[in-house]
Amino acid sequence: MLSPWFMRRRLGLAITLPAVGLLGVVAPVSAVEARQAADKAVTGRPVERSLQRSGFIESLTKPAIAEVRAAAAKQLRDIEPMLAQADPASDAPRPRQLMDLVSEATDAPTPEEIVSEAVASDEASADESATDEADEATEAAPPVLSAPSESTSNADNADVPIPDERVLDDLQFLDPAPNPLLIQTQPEEVEIIGTQPLNLEEALALSYRNNPDLQVVLLELERSEAALREAQAANFPTLSINGTVQGQNTTSSGDTQLVPTPDGGFTFESETAEEVGFFYSTQAELVYNLFSSGRRSASISAAAEQVQLALLEVERRREELRLATANEFYDLQAAIESIRISQAFLNEAERNLQDTTLREQVGVGTRFDVLRAEVQVANARQDVVNAERSRQVAQRSLARRLNVPPSLTITTVPVDIAGNWPLSLEESIVLAYQNRAELEQQLTQRDVNELLQRVELAALGPQVNLFANYSISDFFNQEDRFSDNYALGARVSWTIFEGGAAQARARQRELDAEIAERNFEETRNTVRLGVESAYYNLQANQTNIGTARLAVTQAQEALDLAILRFDAGVGTQLDILNAQSELTNAEVNLVQAIVGYNRSLAELERAVSNLPESYYEALPY
């Protein structure tokens, strides 16, 4: 009886198996990819397409092949229930054993036995290289870290860098260190030890929470709020207390008397007394600005508008961060898809090289065809290396944007269409006018400048302050020297002439307000252009998706026809090479169309701004 491994390999059944992706992410793959993975694990290369392309083999034993296929189809129906439980890791018979089983059932020679001796050495060397590559890939592949959950096993939890009790949500272990001044000093501290897959929503949530630029603008908002509280303090009186303590030397003189001297003369003498005392005085004063010609109210209003301006800046920077994160996310998706396409083309080129080499060995091919196939393989390998480099750069760029720990890197979910824009162009433009923070920022800036103009002109008006003070003073070692005083009153000041400085400052604020109005006009035009550009790009990419999908289907069909023509002897090796290249280009165009569509959708969302997360509609295809 034929094994499930043989069915996957030779008959191409639609069995879905788990496979390890390029970045270590577990994901389902198609039957073709599962079959190719099984082939490569055994022989170092997929062999089914190679045998199918060897048309000269079928021409040798066509009756035998027909009988073999009939017997295989009959036994397939008998073992079909077993296929659902097929295990790719099971100990399955190898190709030679499988051919023996089929031969016993049909008593017909297998076509593979005709060339088995010619390719035995190649398969042995391929087995060795495949085993080495698999070992190297296992050592080099970083572990995939996932967020802790209830269903996570204890073994999986051991890979999570923080304990379960400290996890507040599924993405907390991706938060950076609390100390922003921390810097790594050892190589192992910056070594990448894990890769975390994220979807776009999770990436956006991390960027909102961890990105330093957004945290800076939030701190600037708090600074503006503190400035508002400072301005509001002018509504309250000012109470101040000051005191003085000092030591004081006091000298007193008595009456002057005429006193005879020993030599018979006279002199004037007076009695003096010196006393050292300590003196203290304390004064308390309460001052309230009763009238400031509008300066106080204008300053408070200007500070409140500055807070509103900071809020709008937070909104604007958040939208910019969303667009930047989405673009870097799509960059990484495109890089990963480029690896997949380049690797698939490399696999096709290697299979083509094997077929061409085999034909040359049996005398039906030329050295020229082998050289062309080798060049194609070399170019395909360079494309894979370049795609891998682009993927690594895109990963680190997104990791920097999300500010994840230095030992982790990011990968993405597969490329898919993000959604459909539900509004017309005109509705999008009007909604952008209503939602964009940049337009409101210019209007707020104009209001701030008008209020500052009032502040400058208030310097020319009268200023009235009410005051009350109370003071006491005393000498510690003297009696009847204590005194206390109080005073109540108002102080009025009015600047009559100061050379026109206040008027000049007010004129500057007036011009700033006019500049803000002109900036509003320019920003409005820029907003419209941004909406229109993103909308047109979205429509073009949506059309390109359908065209690219059709092109991929046609390119695959053209490749199959080129192979059949070559097997029949009416085509050339150049036809197969061109068809493979066209299929690769078509797949690249499809990925670029989908990623371009998603980029345009993100740009249109940024151009309109402030949309709910579930605003998009699903595409009809």
Side-chain angles (χ1 to χ4, degrees), residues 330-364:
Y330 294 139
D331 285 342
L332 181 54
Q333 278 191 331
I336 294 174
E337 287 299 311
S338 178
I339 292 178
R340 179 187 63 81
I341 295 172
S342 299
Q343 186 64 48
F345 182 73
L346 176 59
N347 294 338
E348 290 289 336
E350 289 176 343
R351 283 195 291 269
N352 181 67
L353 176 59
Q354 294 165 7
D355 295 344
T356 305
T357 303
L358 187 60
R359 290 186 177 93
E360 183 191 19
Q361 291 174 354
V362 297
V364 295

PDB file of all heavy atoms in Angstrom, residues 330-364:
ATOM      1  N   TYR A 330       4.209  47.912   6.437  1.00  0.00           N
ATOM      2  CA  TYR A 330       4.046  47.421   5.069  1.00  0.00           C
ATOM      3  C   TYR A 330       5.397  47.216   4.383  1.00  0.00           C
ATOM      4  O   TYR A 330       5.527  46.341   3.514  1.00  0.00           O
ATOM      5  CB  TYR A 330       3.183  48.397   4.271  1.00  0.00           C
ATOM      6  CG  TYR A 330       1.751  48.460   4.773  1.00  0.00           C
ATOM      7  CD1 TYR A 330       1.084  49.685   4.874  1.00  0.00           C
ATOM      8  CD2 TYR A 330       1.072  47.314   5.150  1.00  0.00           C
ATOM      9  CE1 TYR A 330      -0.219  49.746   5.336  1.00  0.00           C
ATOM     10  CE2 TYR A 330      -0.236  47.381   5.613  1.00  0.00           C
ATOM     11  CZ  TYR A 330      -0.869  48.595   5.708  1.00  0.00           C
ATOM     12  OH  TYR A 330      -2.159  48.651   6.173  1.00  0.00           O
ATOM     13  N   ASP A 331       6.397  48.009   4.756  1.00  0.00           N
ATOM     14  CA  ASP A 331       7.746  47.760   4.236  1.00  0.00           C
ATOM     15  C   ASP A 331       8.226  46.365   4.630  1.00  0.00           C
ATOM     16  O   ASP A 331       8.801  45.639   3.804  1.00  0.00           O
ATOM     17  CB  ASP A 331       8.720  48.811   4.785  1.00  0.00           C
ATOM     18  CG  ASP A 331       8.548  50.162   4.115  1.00  0.00           C
ATOM     19  OD1 ASP A 331       7.936  50.214   3.029  1.00  0.00           O
ATOM     20  OD2 ASP A 331       8.999  51.172   4.692  1.00  0.00           O
ATOM     21  N   LEU A 332       7.995  46.001   5.879  1.00  0.00           N
ATOM     22  CA  LEU A 332       8.407  44.685   6.348  1.00  0.00           C
ATOM     23  C   LEU A 332       7.598  43.585   5.662  1.00  0.00           C
ATOM     24  O   LEU A 332       8.154  42.547   5.274  1.00  0.00           O
ATOM     25  CB  LEU A 332       8.248  44.601   7.868  1.00  0.00           C
ATOM     26  CG  LEU A 332       8.652  43.280   8.520  1.00  0.00           C
ATOM     27  CD1 LEU A 332      10.078  42.903   8.138  1.00  0.00           C
ATOM     28  CD2 LEU A 332       8.520  43.377  10.034  1.00  0.00           C
ATOM     29  N   GLN A 333       6.304  43.811   5.493  1.00  0.00           N
ATOM     30  CA  GLN A 333       5.496  42.822   4.778  1.00  0.00           C
ATOM     31  C   GLN A 333       6.004  42.621   3.355  1.00  0.00           C
ATOM     32  O   GLN A 333       6.122  41.489   2.880  1.00  0.00           O
ATOM     33  CB  GLN A 333       4.029  43.266   4.762  1.00  0.00           C
ATOM     34  CG  GLN A 333       3.255  42.946   6.019  1.00  0.00           C
ATOM     35  CD  GLN A 333       1.768  43.160   5.839  1.00  0.00           C
ATOM     36  OE1 GLN A 333       1.332  44.003   5.047  1.00  0.00           O
ATOM     37  NE2 GLN A 333       0.971  42.410   6.568  1.00  0.00           N
ATOM     38  N   ALA A 334       6.289  43.725   2.671  1.00  0.00           N
ATOM     39  CA  ALA A 334       6.784  43.618   1.295  1.00  0.00           C
ATOM     40  C   ALA A 334       8.130  42.898   1.244  1.00  0.00           C
ATOM     41  O   ALA A 334       8.389  42.099   0.337  1.00  0.00           O
ATOM     42  CB  ALA A 334       6.899  45.009   0.680  1.00  0.00           C
ATOM     43  N   ALA A 335       8.996  43.165   2.229  1.00  0.00           N
ATOM     44  CA  ALA A 335      10.301  42.497   2.250  1.00  0.00           C
ATOM     45  C   ALA A 335      10.147  40.992   2.472  1.00  0.00           C
ATOM     46  O   ALA A 335      10.841  40.179   1.844  1.00  0.00           O
ATOM     47  CB  ALA A 335      11.180  43.108   3.339  1.00  0.00           C
ATOM     48  N   ILE A 336       9.237  40.612   3.358  1.00  0.00           N
ATOM     49  CA  ILE A 336       9.018  39.184   3.608  1.00  0.00           C
ATOM     50  C   ILE A 336       8.441  38.510   2.374  1.00  0.00           C
ATOM     51  O   ILE A 336       8.852  37.400   1.999  1.00  0.00           O
ATOM     52  CB  ILE A 336       8.087  39.003   4.822  1.00  0.00           C
ATOM     53  CG1 ILE A 336       8.784  39.500   6.093  1.00  0.00           C
ATOM     54  CG2 ILE A 336       7.680  37.544   4.985  1.00  0.00           C
ATOM     55  CD1 ILE A 336       7.908  39.493   7.315  1.00  0.00           C
ATOM     56  N   GLU A 337       7.487  39.170   1.721  1.00  0.00           N
ATOM     57  CA  GLU A 337       6.933  38.596   0.496  1.00  0.00           C
ATOM     58  C   GLU A 337       7.992  38.519  -0.605  1.00  0.00           C
ATOM     59  O   GLU A 337       7.985  37.590  -1.413  1.00  0.00           O
ATOM     60  CB  GLU A 337       5.746  39.439   0.032  1.00  0.00           C
ATOM     61  CG  GLU A 337       4.494  39.271   0.876  1.00  0.00           C
ATOM     62  CD  GLU A 337       3.981  37.843   0.852  1.00  0.00           C
ATOM     63  OE1 GLU A 337       3.852  37.273  -0.249  1.00  0.00           O
ATOM     64  OE2 GLU A 337       3.719  37.283   1.931  1.00  0.00           O
ATOM     65  N   SER A 338       8.889  39.483  -0.627  1.00  0.00           N
ATOM     66  CA  SER A 338       9.963  39.436  -1.617  1.00  0.00           C
ATOM     67  C   SER A 338      10.856  38.229  -1.389  1.00  0.00           C
ATOM     68  O   SER A 338      11.307  37.581  -2.350  1.00  0.00           O
ATOM     69  CB  SER A 338      10.788  40.728  -1.544  1.00  0.00           C
ATOM     70  OG  SER A 338      11.856  40.702  -2.452  1.00  0.00           O
ATOM     71  N   ILE A 339      11.096  37.893  -0.125  1.00  0.00           N
ATOM     72  CA  ILE A 339      11.872  36.682   0.164  1.00  0.00           C
ATOM     73  C   ILE A 339      11.138  35.450  -0.344  1.00  0.00           C
ATOM     74  O   ILE A 339      11.729  34.553  -0.958  1.00  0.00           O
ATOM     75  CB  ILE A 339      12.135  36.577   1.671  1.00  0.00           C
ATOM     76  CG1 ILE A 339      13.079  37.686   2.124  1.00  0.00           C
ATOM     77  CG2 ILE A 339      12.717  35.219   2.027  1.00  0.00           C
ATOM     78  CD1 ILE A 339      13.352  37.692   3.604  1.00  0.00           C
ATOM     79  N   ARG A 340       9.843  35.393  -0.079  1.00  0.00           N
ATOM     80  CA  ARG A 340       9.065  34.230  -0.511  1.00  0.00           C
ATOM     81  C   ARG A 340       9.098  34.077  -2.028  1.00  0.00           C
ATOM     82  O   ARG A 340       9.336  32.980  -2.557  1.00  0.00           O
ATOM     83  CB  ARG A 340       7.615  34.371  -0.040  1.00  0.00           C
ATOM     84  CG  ARG A 340       6.719  33.210  -0.456  1.00  0.00           C
ATOM     85  CD  ARG A 340       5.274  33.484  -0.117  1.00  0.00           C
ATOM     86  NE  ARG A 340       4.742  34.635  -0.843  1.00  0.00           N
ATOM     87  CZ  ARG A 340       4.309  34.595  -2.097  1.00  0.00           C
ATOM     88  NH1 ARG A 340       4.364  33.461  -2.787  1.00  0.00           N
ATOM     89  NH2 ARG A 340       3.845  35.670  -2.683  1.00  0.00           N
ATOM     90  N   ILE A 341       8.906  35.173  -2.741  1.00  0.00           N
ATOM     91  CA  ILE A 341       8.892  35.103  -4.204  1.00  0.00           C
ATOM     92  C   ILE A 341      10.278  34.757  -4.739  1.00  0.00           C
ATOM     93  O   ILE A 341      10.428  33.923  -5.636  1.00  0.00           O
ATOM     94  CB  ILE A 341       8.392  36.433  -4.774  1.00  0.00           C
ATOM     95  CG1 ILE A 341       6.924  36.663  -4.384  1.00  0.00           C
ATOM     96  CG2 ILE A 341       8.539  36.471  -6.287  1.00  0.00           C
ATOM     97  CD1 ILE A 341       6.399  38.034  -4.736  1.00  0.00           C
ATOM     98  N   SER A 342      11.293  35.397  -4.169  1.00  0.00           N
ATOM     99  CA  SER A 342      12.658  35.113  -4.634  1.00  0.00           C
ATOM    100  C   SER A 342      13.049  33.673  -4.337  1.00  0.00           C
ATOM    101  O   SER A 342      13.708  33.017  -5.163  1.00  0.00           O
ATOM    102  CB  SER A 342      13.642  36.078  -3.965  1.00  0.00           C
ATOM    103  OG  SER A 342      13.340  37.421  -4.288  1.00  0.00           O
ATOM    104  N   GLN A 343      12.651  33.165  -3.172  1.00  0.00           N
ATOM    105  CA  GLN A 343      12.974  31.784  -2.841  1.00  0.00           C
ATOM    106  C   GLN A 343      12.240  30.815  -3.759  1.00  0.00           C
ATOM    107  O   GLN A 343      12.800  29.796  -4.182  1.00  0.00           O
ATOM    108  CB  GLN A 343      12.603  31.504  -1.373  1.00  0.00           C
ATOM    109  CG  GLN A 343      13.022  30.137  -0.882  1.00  0.00           C
ATOM    110  CD  GLN A 343      14.535  29.965  -0.885  1.00  0.00           C
ATOM    111  OE1 GLN A 343      15.261  30.815  -0.395  1.00  0.00           O
ATOM    112  NE2 GLN A 343      15.002  28.859  -1.439  1.00  0.00           N
ATOM    113  N   ALA A 344      10.971  31.124  -4.083  1.00  0.00           N
ATOM    114  CA  ALA A 344      10.230  30.261  -5.009  1.00  0.00           C
ATOM    115  C   ALA A 344      10.879  30.258  -6.392  1.00  0.00           C
ATOM    116  O   ALA A 344      10.986  29.214  -7.042  1.00  0.00           O
ATOM    117  CB  ALA A 344       8.777  30.729  -5.094  1.00  0.00           C
ATOM    118  N   PHE A 345      11.326  31.434  -6.826  1.00  0.00           N
ATOM    119  CA  PHE A 345      12.001  31.490  -8.126  1.00  0.00           C
ATOM    120  C   PHE A 345      13.319  30.727  -8.086  1.00  0.00           C
ATOM    121  O   PHE A 345      13.696  30.049  -9.051  1.00  0.00           O
ATOM    122  CB  PHE A 345      12.239  32.945  -8.524  1.00  0.00           C
ATOM    123  CG  PHE A 345      12.894  33.107  -9.866  1.00  0.00           C
ATOM    124  CD1 PHE A 345      12.193  32.869 -11.028  1.00  0.00           C
ATOM    125  CD2 PHE A 345      14.227  33.481  -9.960  1.00  0.00           C
ATOM    126  CE1 PHE A 345      12.796  33.011 -12.267  1.00  0.00           C
ATOM    127  CE2 PHE A 345      14.844  33.636 -11.186  1.00  0.00           C
ATOM    128  CZ  PHE A 345      14.121  33.391 -12.350  1.00  0.00           C
ATOM    129  N   LEU A 346      14.036  30.825  -6.945  1.00  0.00           N
ATOM    130  CA  LEU A 346      15.284  30.077  -6.810  1.00  0.00           C
ATOM    131  C   LEU A 346      15.012  28.580  -6.858  1.00  0.00           C
ATOM    132  O   LEU A 346      15.760  27.818  -7.490  1.00  0.00           O
ATOM    133  CB  LEU A 346      15.982  30.454  -5.503  1.00  0.00           C
ATOM    134  CG  LEU A 346      17.253  29.683  -5.159  1.00  0.00           C
ATOM    135  CD1 LEU A 346      18.303  29.850  -6.248  1.00  0.00           C
ATOM    136  CD2 LEU A 346      17.799  30.122  -3.807  1.00  0.00           C
ATOM    137  N   ASN A 347      13.938  28.142  -6.199  1.00  0.00           N
ATOM    138  CA  ASN A 347      13.599  26.720  -6.239  1.00  0.00           C
ATOM    139  C   ASN A 347      13.300  26.269  -7.672  1.00  0.00           C
ATOM    140  O   ASN A 347      13.738  25.201  -8.108  1.00  0.00           O
ATOM    141  CB  ASN A 347      12.411  26.433  -5.335  1.00  0.00           C
ATOM    142  CG  ASN A 347      12.733  26.666  -3.867  1.00  0.00           C
ATOM    143  OD1 ASN A 347      13.900  26.644  -3.471  1.00  0.00           O
ATOM    144  ND2 ASN A 347      11.710  26.895  -3.063  1.00  0.00           N
ATOM    145  N   GLU A 348      12.552  27.087  -8.394  1.00  0.00           N
ATOM    146  CA  GLU A 348      12.257  26.752  -9.787  1.00  0.00           C
ATOM    147  C   GLU A 348      13.540  26.717 -10.622  1.00  0.00           C
ATOM    148  O   GLU A 348      13.723  25.839 -11.471  1.00  0.00           O
ATOM    149  CB  GLU A 348      11.283  27.778 -10.369  1.00  0.00           C
ATOM    150  CG  GLU A 348       9.869  27.691  -9.812  1.00  0.00           C
ATOM    151  CD  GLU A 348       9.130  26.465 -10.295  1.00  0.00           C
ATOM    152  OE1 GLU A 348       9.496  25.928 -11.362  1.00  0.00           O
ATOM    153  OE2 GLU A 348       8.188  26.027  -9.608  1.00  0.00           O
ATOM    154  N   ALA A 349      14.413  27.685 -10.379  1.00  0.00           N
ATOM    155  CA  ALA A 349      15.665  27.721 -11.142  1.00  0.00           C
ATOM    156  C   ALA A 349      16.534  26.507 -10.830  1.00  0.00           C
ATOM    157  O   ALA A 349      17.175  25.935 -11.730  1.00  0.00           O
ATOM    158  CB  ALA A 349      16.415  29.013 -10.834  1.00  0.00           C
ATOM    159  N   GLU A 350      16.579  26.099  -9.562  1.00  0.00           N
ATOM    160  CA  GLU A 350      17.358  24.925  -9.209  1.00  0.00           C
ATOM    161  C   GLU A 350      16.777  23.657  -9.827  1.00  0.00           C
ATOM    162  O   GLU A 350      17.515  22.784 -10.298  1.00  0.00           O
ATOM    163  CB  GLU A 350      17.444  24.804  -7.688  1.00  0.00           C
ATOM    164  CG  GLU A 350      18.322  25.866  -7.031  1.00  0.00           C
ATOM    165  CD  GLU A 350      18.303  25.780  -5.524  1.00  0.00           C
ATOM    166  OE1 GLU A 350      17.380  25.123  -4.979  1.00  0.00           O
ATOM    167  OE2 GLU A 350      19.201  26.357  -4.881  1.00  0.00           O
ATOM    168  N   ARG A 351      15.458  23.545  -9.818  1.00  0.00           N
ATOM    169  CA  ARG A 351      14.848  22.377 -10.456  1.00  0.00           C
ATOM    170  C   ARG A 351      15.116  22.370 -11.963  1.00  0.00           C
ATOM    171  O   ARG A 351      15.375  21.325 -12.569  1.00  0.00           O
ATOM    172  CB  ARG A 351      13.338  22.371 -10.180  1.00  0.00           C
ATOM    173  CG  ARG A 351      12.972  21.901  -8.791  1.00  0.00           C
ATOM    174  CD  ARG A 351      11.499  21.571  -8.712  1.00  0.00           C
ATOM    175  NE  ARG A 351      10.676  22.769  -8.806  1.00  0.00           N
ATOM    176  CZ  ARG A 351      10.273  23.480  -7.762  1.00  0.00           C
ATOM    177  NH1 ARG A 351      10.647  23.110  -6.554  1.00  0.00           N
ATOM    178  NH2 ARG A 351       9.526  24.538  -7.919  1.00  0.00           N
ATOM    179  N   ASN A 352      15.046  23.560 -12.543  1.00  0.00           N
ATOM    180  CA  ASN A 352      15.339  23.655 -13.965  1.00  0.00           C
ATOM    181  C   ASN A 352      16.787  23.263 -14.259  1.00  0.00           C
ATOM    182  O   ASN A 352      17.084  22.586 -15.255  1.00  0.00           O
ATOM    183  CB  ASN A 352      15.051  25.075 -14.457  1.00  0.00           C
ATOM    184  CG  ASN A 352      15.318  25.234 -15.942  1.00  0.00           C
ATOM    185  OD1 ASN A 352      14.628  24.666 -16.779  1.00  0.00           O
ATOM    186  ND2 ASN A 352      16.344  26.013 -16.263  1.00  0.00           N
ATOM    187  N   LEU A 353      17.718  23.676 -13.370  1.00  0.00           N
ATOM    188  CA  LEU A 353      19.115  23.311 -13.540  1.00  0.00           C
ATOM    189  C   LEU A 353      19.293  21.799 -13.412  1.00  0.00           C
ATOM    190  O   LEU A 353      20.056  21.177 -14.175  1.00  0.00           O
ATOM    191  CB  LEU A 353      19.976  24.036 -12.507  1.00  0.00           C
ATOM    192  CG  LEU A 353      21.465  23.686 -12.486  1.00  0.00           C
ATOM    193  CD1 LEU A 353      22.108  23.974 -13.839  1.00  0.00           C
ATOM    194  CD2 LEU A 353      22.173  24.443 -11.365  1.00  0.00           C
ATOM    195  N   GLN A 354      18.589  21.187 -12.469  1.00  0.00           N
ATOM    196  CA  GLN A 354      18.685  19.730 -12.319  1.00  0.00           C
ATOM    197  C   GLN A 354      18.174  19.009 -13.570  1.00  0.00           C
ATOM    198  O   GLN A 354      18.784  18.053 -14.050  1.00  0.00           O
ATOM    199  CB  GLN A 354      17.894  19.292 -11.089  1.00  0.00           C
ATOM    200  CG  GLN A 354      18.475  19.805  -9.782  1.00  0.00           C
ATOM    201  CD  GLN A 354      17.501  19.687  -8.636  1.00  0.00           C
ATOM    202  OE1 GLN A 354      16.430  19.102  -8.793  1.00  0.00           O
ATOM    203  NE2 GLN A 354      17.865  20.231  -7.486  1.00  0.00           N
ATOM    204  N   ASP A 355      17.028  19.473 -14.095  1.00  0.00           N
ATOM    205  CA  ASP A 355      16.490  18.846 -15.304  1.00  0.00           C
ATOM    206  C   ASP A 355      17.444  19.018 -16.490  1.00  0.00           C
ATOM    207  O   ASP A 355      17.679  18.087 -17.264  1.00  0.00           O
ATOM    208  CB  ASP A 355      15.133  19.460 -15.647  1.00  0.00           C
ATOM    209  CG  ASP A 355      14.097  19.154 -14.586  1.00  0.00           C
ATOM    210  OD1 ASP A 355      14.341  18.236 -13.778  1.00  0.00           O
ATOM    211  OD2 ASP A 355      13.054  19.837 -14.558  1.00  0.00           O
ATOM    212  N   THR A 356      17.990  20.235 -16.613  1.00  0.00           N
ATOM    213  CA  THR A 356      18.895  20.500 -17.729  1.00  0.00           C
ATOM    214  C   THR A 356      20.164  19.659 -17.616  1.00  0.00           C
ATOM    215  O   THR A 356      20.669  19.110 -18.619  1.00  0.00           O
ATOM    216  CB  THR A 356      19.256  21.999 -17.758  1.00  0.00           C
ATOM    217  OG1 THR A 356      18.059  22.778 -17.792  1.00  0.00           O
ATOM    218  CG2 THR A 356      20.077  22.327 -18.988  1.00  0.00           C
ATOM    219  N   THR A 357      20.696  19.548 -16.395  1.00  0.00           N
ATOM    220  CA  THR A 357      21.886  18.715 -16.196  1.00  0.00           C
ATOM    221  C   THR A 357      21.583  17.253 -16.502  1.00  0.00           C
ATOM    222  O   THR A 357      22.402  16.535 -17.114  1.00  0.00           O
ATOM    223  CB  THR A 357      22.381  18.866 -14.752  1.00  0.00           C
ATOM    224  OG1 THR A 357      22.634  20.245 -14.483  1.00  0.00           O
ATOM    225  CG2 THR A 357      23.661  18.080 -14.536  1.00  0.00           C
ATOM    226  N   LEU A 358      20.408  16.787 -16.091  1.00  0.00           N
ATOM    227  CA  LEU A 358      20.021  15.406 -16.344  1.00  0.00           C
ATOM    228  C   LEU A 358      19.904  15.136 -17.841  1.00  0.00           C
ATOM    229  O   LEU A 358      20.341  14.092 -18.339  1.00  0.00           O
ATOM    230  CB  LEU A 358      18.702  15.112 -15.633  1.00  0.00           C
ATOM    231  CG  LEU A 358      18.212  13.661 -15.656  1.00  0.00           C
ATOM    232  CD1 LEU A 358      19.230  12.737 -15.006  1.00  0.00           C
ATOM    233  CD2 LEU A 358      16.864  13.549 -14.979  1.00  0.00           C
ATOM    234  N   ARG A 359      19.343  16.074 -18.566  1.00  0.00           N
ATOM    235  CA  ARG A 359      19.227  15.899 -20.019  1.00  0.00           C
ATOM    236  C   ARG A 359      20.598  15.859 -20.690  1.00  0.00           C
ATOM    237  O   ARG A 359      20.825  15.129 -21.639  1.00  0.00           O
ATOM    238  CB  ARG A 359      18.369  17.022 -20.602  1.00  0.00           C
ATOM    239  CG  ARG A 359      16.903  16.938 -20.224  1.00  0.00           C
ATOM    240  CD  ARG A 359      16.082  17.991 -20.949  1.00  0.00           C
ATOM    241  NE  ARG A 359      14.677  17.853 -20.625  1.00  0.00           N
ATOM    242  CZ  ARG A 359      14.053  18.504 -19.656  1.00  0.00           C
ATOM    243  NH1 ARG A 359      14.742  19.345 -18.911  1.00  0.00           N
ATOM    244  NH2 ARG A 359      12.781  18.308 -19.427  1.00  0.00           N
ATOM    245  N   GLU A 360      21.510  16.697 -20.175  1.00  0.00           N
ATOM    246  CA  GLU A 360      22.850  16.676 -20.753  1.00  0.00           C
ATOM    247  C   GLU A 360      23.530  15.341 -20.476  1.00  0.00           C
ATOM    248  O   GLU A 360      24.247  14.787 -21.344  1.00  0.00           O
ATOM    249  CB  GLU A 360      23.684  17.813 -20.166  1.00  0.00           C
ATOM    250  CG  GLU A 360      25.080  17.904 -20.769  1.00  0.00           C
ATOM    251  CD  GLU A 360      25.981  18.860 -20.007  1.00  0.00           C
ATOM    252  OE1 GLU A 360      25.662  19.158 -18.840  1.00  0.00           O
ATOM    253  OE2 GLU A 360      26.996  19.279 -20.574  1.00  0.00           O
ATOM    254  N   GLN A 361      23.308  14.766 -19.296  1.00  0.00           N
ATOM    255  CA  GLN A 361      23.939  13.502 -18.950  1.00  0.00           C
ATOM    256  C   GLN A 361      23.440  12.351 -19.823  1.00  0.00           C
ATOM    257  O   GLN A 361      24.203  11.426 -20.133  1.00  0.00           O
ATOM    258  CB  GLN A 361      23.693  13.185 -17.477  1.00  0.00           C
ATOM    259  CG  GLN A 361      24.423  14.123 -16.518  1.00  0.00           C
ATOM    260  CD  GLN A 361      24.047  13.870 -15.077  1.00  0.00           C
ATOM    261  OE1 GLN A 361      23.152  13.069 -14.786  1.00  0.00           O
ATOM    262  NE2 GLN A 361      24.727  14.559 -14.168  1.00  0.00           N
ATOM    263  N   VAL A 362      22.153  12.385 -20.213  1.00  0.00           N
ATOM    264  CA  VAL A 362      21.620  11.297 -21.042  1.00  0.00           C
ATOM    265  C   VAL A 362      21.751  11.592 -22.523  1.00  0.00           C
ATOM    266  O   VAL A 362      21.302  10.800 -23.360  1.00  0.00           O
ATOM    267  CB  VAL A 362      20.147  11.020 -20.680  1.00  0.00           C
ATOM    268  CG1 VAL A 362      20.028  10.563 -19.256  1.00  0.00           C
ATOM    269  CG2 VAL A 362      19.296  12.249 -20.954  1.00  0.00           C
ATOM    270  N   GLY A 363      22.337  12.761 -22.861  1.00  0.00           N
ATOM    271  CA  GLY A 363      22.650  13.031 -24.253  1.00  0.00           C
ATOM    272  C   GLY A 363      21.594  13.746 -25.046  1.00  0.00           C
ATOM    273  O   GLY A 363      21.700  13.826 -26.274  1.00  0.00           O
ATOM    274  N   VAL A 364      20.557  14.281 -24.385  1.00  0.00           N
ATOM    275  CA  VAL A 364      19.513  14.992 -25.126  1.00  0.00           C
ATOM    276  C   VAL A 364      19.542  16.492 -24.847  1.00  0.00           C
ATOM    277  O   VAL A 364      18.660  17.221 -25.296  1.00  0.00           O
ATOM    278  CB  VAL A 364      18.120  14.423 -24.783  1.00  0.00           C
ATOM    279  CG1 VAL A 364      18.002  12.985 -25.254  1.00  0.00           C
ATOM    280  CG2 VAL A 364      17.852  14.554 -23.297  1.00  0.00           C
TER     281      VAL A 364
END
